Amino acid sequence: RIESDATPLHDNNEEKSWLRAGVLRLLDEENRVIAVQLALLISKIMRCDFPQQWPQLQPTLIELLERGTEIQKNRSLLALHYILKEMVTMTLPSQKRNFLELSNSMRQGCMGMWAYYGNDLLTWLQQWNPQQPHSAGEQK
């Protein structure tokens, strides 16, 4: 769409809302290169629109971190990485307050994942036998 003076694209809240919702629905992208670009896009939109025009960003990321599929959890963490990286550069007091609120709300979801994968690793290490071959091609 070509932007004109009569209907500037940045003033069309319906399109922006559709774009924000659509980007969050794509957080199950399997291609890593595309997922990184989506995460970057989310962080750039967040810089302008969060929290006033995009209040559902935070609850959506928390939901995906807590109950999403493995790929959604991974992509949510990737998006969160770029979001926090973007928020660190913000200097206004209200922006810093938003950063603090977002990081505090994400802490519980991230700690839950840390505990889950930490327990997974401990279970694997307890069952691991260094004497056992690691692949079908190895001989005892």
Side-chain angles (χ1 to χ4, degrees):
R1 170 177 160 179
I2 298 175
E3 188 174 336
S4 69
D5 291 333
T7 58
L9 184 59
H10 64 274
D11 284 340
N12 191 333
N13 288 330
E14 186 178 312
E15 285 183 22
K16 287 174 70 175
S17 179
W18 177 83
L19 179 64
R20 288 189 295 258
V23 167
L24 289 177
R25 281 193 302 269
L26 295 173
L27 281 176
D28 58 357
E29 174 60 48
E30 292 190 22
N31 185 312
R32 173 93 174 141
V33 175
I34 295 172
V36 167
Q37 295 307 309
L38 287 169
L40 283 167
L41 178 62
I42 290 169
S43 72
K44 297 302 179 184
I45 295 171
M46 176 280 316
R47 185 171 183 97
C48 298
D49 293 353
F50 181 78
Q52 291 80 16
Q53 289 92 15
W54 203 5
Q56 65 272 27
L57 173 64
Q58 184 176 343
T60 301
L61 287 176
I62 291 171
E63 176 75 21
L64 290 173
L65 284 174
E66 292 176 351
R67 294 179 193 83
T69 64
E70 292 299 314
I71 193 86
Q72 288 173 326
K73 288 178 181 180
N74 182 283
R75 299 313 185 220
S76 296
L77 286 173
L78 183 64
L80 186 59
H81 166 75
Y82 286 106
I83 287 169
L84 294 177
K85 201 171 175 181
E86 189 74 31
M87 289 184 103
V88 166
T89 66
M90 296 177 164
T91 57
L92 295 175
S94 62
Q95 294 170 329
K96 288 185 177 195
R97 198 169 29 258
N98 290 338
F99 172 73
L100 180 63
E101 289 172 11
L102 181 69
S103 57
N104 281 337
S105 69
M106 293 294 171
R107 183 178 54 221
Q108 185 175 359
C110 291
M111 291 303 292
M113 288 181 63
W114 177 264
Y116 173 78
Y117 288 114
N119 286 335
D120 240 13
L121 177 63
L122 287 175
T123 301
W124 180 81
L125 287 173
Q126 290 169 349
Q127 295 172 354
W128 181 61
N129 181 358
Q131 304 301 320
Q132 189 175 16
H134 298 292
S135 69
E138 292 183 33
Q139 303 259 337
K140 281 191 176 182

